[in-house]
Amino acid sequence: MVNVDNAAGSADPTQTSVIIIGAGPAGLTIGNVLRAAGIDCLVLEAESRDFIERRPRAGVIEEPVVRGLERRGLAANLLSRAQRQDACEFRFDGGRHRFDFGALTGRQHWVYPQQHLVTDLLREYADVRRGRISFGVRDVVLHDLATERPGVSFTDAASGQRRMITGDFVAGCDGARGVTRAGLPEDLRVSSLDYGIGWLAILAEAPPSNDCATFGLHPNGFAGHMSRSPEVTRYYLECLPGDQPDDWPAERVWPELRERLAATGAEPLSEGRLIEKRVLELHNSVVEPMASGRLFLAGDAAHLTAPIAAKGMNLALHDAFLLGDALVGFLARADRGGLNGYSEACLRRVWDYQDCSRSLSEIFHGPSSGDPFLAGAATARLRRLFTSPTAAAAFAEQFLGLAAQY
Ligand code: RFL
């Protein structure tokens, strides 16, 4: 049964067409695509609206993703407010090495904080396209995924009552720690890679200290600098995976950043209050296939990519475009092609991005590995980017997600 409506308020609260678990970039994009086609859906989100509109995470968006959002009417603010970057800088052996991917490809990276994108997607979904959403849901349980009428039960935040909703499909977009990942159907397999490395992820109330993403490769460990806005900068410091944020007070963070990002001719770092510190244990994982019965996974629920190559949100949005369009194809036109090919189409890009993350990790972490062989190989690979046009073009294509075919 397909619920098509133009007035979300009139919809039956126990039935819908697509139940979307999670209001992150993936879930909200799918919701928007469905609503644009007049298809009813319900988004279930564990957190509050205020919380998800302020949760800082990613910031780098690839140009094909920007264009995908634009085609779906979801990029107005991004296009007018995002910064654009056409280079990144590697710092090693005391020198600055600018990698001008814009000149090589004609494409850019767009810098737009994830919480701003989520805010835009949420406003469009709930306030403009009149999509249904329940915030603060608890104890979400998936039912009957192998049937043509799957369901989801949950505790409603407002009433405290258990509610059950059935639909044609369930979209699992609840991230790497969600309920979908915790209870994957048995026909799905997870492959994973643990880097055995930690990154202290820092947000500093300080203007960027360089005009592009900057990667410091240093025997003490990797350091990264990424602008988020004129007032806020994200920094990363490689650390031990078991470290706690309190092991890294400001008096330790800034000298370490200064040392690892030092290079001849570089501006001194603009320092400021540390507004967020968390230790990320770097790992990647992939669920295959990305669908089981009437459950379709998208974004971090299906694959986790450590933020080494800034790929996670981009992949989540690529999945969402494919899944949103495939669901519309089936529900509005009875065309099964998109859904049948969904997992395979996503996974080709997913594995390419996993490979990008892993090879960049070898470059970033080789010099601090304590192994002179790994350090030598990492430096050789890095130097090749600046001496071989072929290597540079291949790196730029993968780094920007521009392959003609995945
Ligand atoms: P999200 O964004 O995690 O959204 C999932 C949503 O589901 C909700 N949820 C539930 N809802 C209902 N019931 C449950 N049981 C639920 N459990 C969870 C959550 O509250 C949430 O609202 O997944 P999605 O949509 O797949 O998006 C993925 C991206 O968020 C993620 O890949 C990126 O943030 C990764 N990432 C980066 N990606 C990039 O492409 N570029 C970057 O520059 C970049 N930087 C980063 C990052 C991730 C980081 N952290 C925190 C790991 C920087 C950092 C520090």
Side-chain angles (χ1 to χ4, degrees):
M1 187 202 67
V2 180
N3 280 353
V4 177
D5 80 331
N6 293 315
S10 66
D12 179 344
T14 66
Q15 296 194 17
T16 189
S17 286
V18 183
I19 307 162
I20 300 170
I21 308 176
L28 290 170
T29 300
I30 294 167
N32 271 299
V33 172
L34 294 171
R35 291 303 302 144
I39 293 170
D40 185 49
C41 53
L42 172 68
V43 176
L44 298 174
E45 168 57 49
E47 303 290 352
S48 67
R49 181 169 187 161
D50 187 54
F51 181 86
I52 65 169
E53 288 186 343
R54 288 164 187 260
R55 181 171 47 197
R57 281 187 176 173
V60 176
I61 309 184
E62 296 170 350
E63 196 159 315
V65 170
V66 173
R67 300 301 164 209
L69 290 165
E70 187 182 15
R71 277 197 296 281
R72 291 163 181 85
L74 299 171
N77 285 340
L78 193 169
L79 290 170
S80 64
R81 295 186 194 155
Q83 303 165 41
R84 297 169 204 196
Q85 296 186 344
D86 49 21
C88 59
E89 185 174 305
F90 295 88
R91 293 185 180 173
F92 58 99
D93 294 341
R96 304 175 70 181
H97 305 267
R98 195 174 173 90
F99 185 76
D100 194 348
F101 54 71
L104 281 169
T105 64
R107 307 291 186 88
Q108 299 169 315
H109 263 161
W110 296 60
V111 177
Y112 193 62
Q114 179 167 338
Q115 68 273 28
H116 295 183
L117 182 66
V118 165
T119 301
D120 296 344
L121 293 172
L122 187 49
R123 287 198 182 142
E124 184 68 25
Y125 172 75
D127 305 338
V128 180
R129 301 187 189 184
R130 307 185 68 197
R132 292 194 281 162
I133 183 161
S134 290
F135 292 102
V137 300
R138 289 279 168 266
D139 305 320
V140 172
V141 180
L142 279 55
H143 304 270
D144 306 324
L145 296 173
T147 71
E148 293 200 344
R149 201 70 195 156
V152 176
S153 61
F154 58 98
T155 303
D156 182 68
S159 64
Q161 302 291 309
R162 290 296 291 168
R163 278 180 59 192
M164 175 79 177
I165 183 152
T166 58
D168 298 300
F169 293 97
V170 176
C173 307
D174 49 345
R177 294 200 179 81
V179 66
T180 324
R181 256 297 174 112
L184 281 179
E186 280 174 6
D187 52 338
L188 305 189
R189 182 189 66 192
V190 185
S191 343
S192 52
L193 170 68
D194 183 350
Y195 292 94
I197 290 170
W199 272 14
L200 182 72
I202 302 155
L203 278 177
E205 210 168 52
S209 303
N210 197 8
D211 65 351
C212 64
T214 307
F215 310 124
L217 313 172
H218 194 275
N220 286 9
F222 169 77
H225 156 286
M226 277 125 219
S227 70
R228 284 293 184 258
S229 73
E231 300 83 27
V232 173
T233 305
R234 186 174 278 295
Y235 286 98
Y236 294 112
L237 275 172
E238 182 184 345
C239 65
L240 295 172
D243 277 2
Q244 299 300 313
D246 287 348
D247 295 331
W248 288 89
E251 306 78 64
R252 186 178 176 202
V253 164
W254 288 112
E256 204 60 44
L257 283 171
R258 283 197 296 269
E259 186 174 351
R260 296 186 195 183
L261 288 166
T264 306
E267 292 288 318
L269 296 187
S270 309
E271 300 185 12
R273 191 168 67 92
L274 304 184
I275 49 180
E276 191 195 75
K277 276 188 303 178
R278 50 192 296 195
V279 174
L280 309 176
E281 304 202 353
L282 301 189
H283 51 266
N284 290 11
S285 64
V286 181
V287 176
E288 291 176 292
M290 285 169 53
S292 171
R294 289 284 177 123
L295 170 69
F296 286 79
L297 304 178
D300 280 13
H303 38 74
L304 192 63
T305 315
I308 299 166
K311 292 292 192 188
M313 184 168 75
N314 289 291
L315 270 183
L317 290 164
H318 279 295
D319 293 352
F321 298 151
L322 285 176
L323 185 53
D325 293 348
L327 288 166
V328 171
F330 181 78
L331 292 166
R333 300 188 301 276
D335 172 2
R336 285 184 168 270
L339 286 179
N340 289 346
Y342 169 70
S343 175
E344 215 182 308
C346 290
L347 285 166
R348 286 193 292 268
R349 184 187 291 271
V350 167
W351 278 112
D352 188 78
Y353 282 29
Q354 299 291 345
D355 175 58
C356 177
S357 164
R358 194 175 66 109
S359 67
L360 204 51
S361 168
E362 288 172 2
I363 293 178
F364 284 175
H365 303 121
S368 55
S369 62
D371 180 333
F373 188 92
L374 295 182
T379 309
R381 203 188 291 181
L382 197 48
R383 288 195 185 285
R384 205 179 313 127
L385 291 186
F386 298 95
T387 53
S388 159
T390 311
F395 177 81
E397 180 186 271
Q398 198 178 32
F399 191 54
L400 274 75
L402 297 177
Q405 201 184 337
Y406 282 94

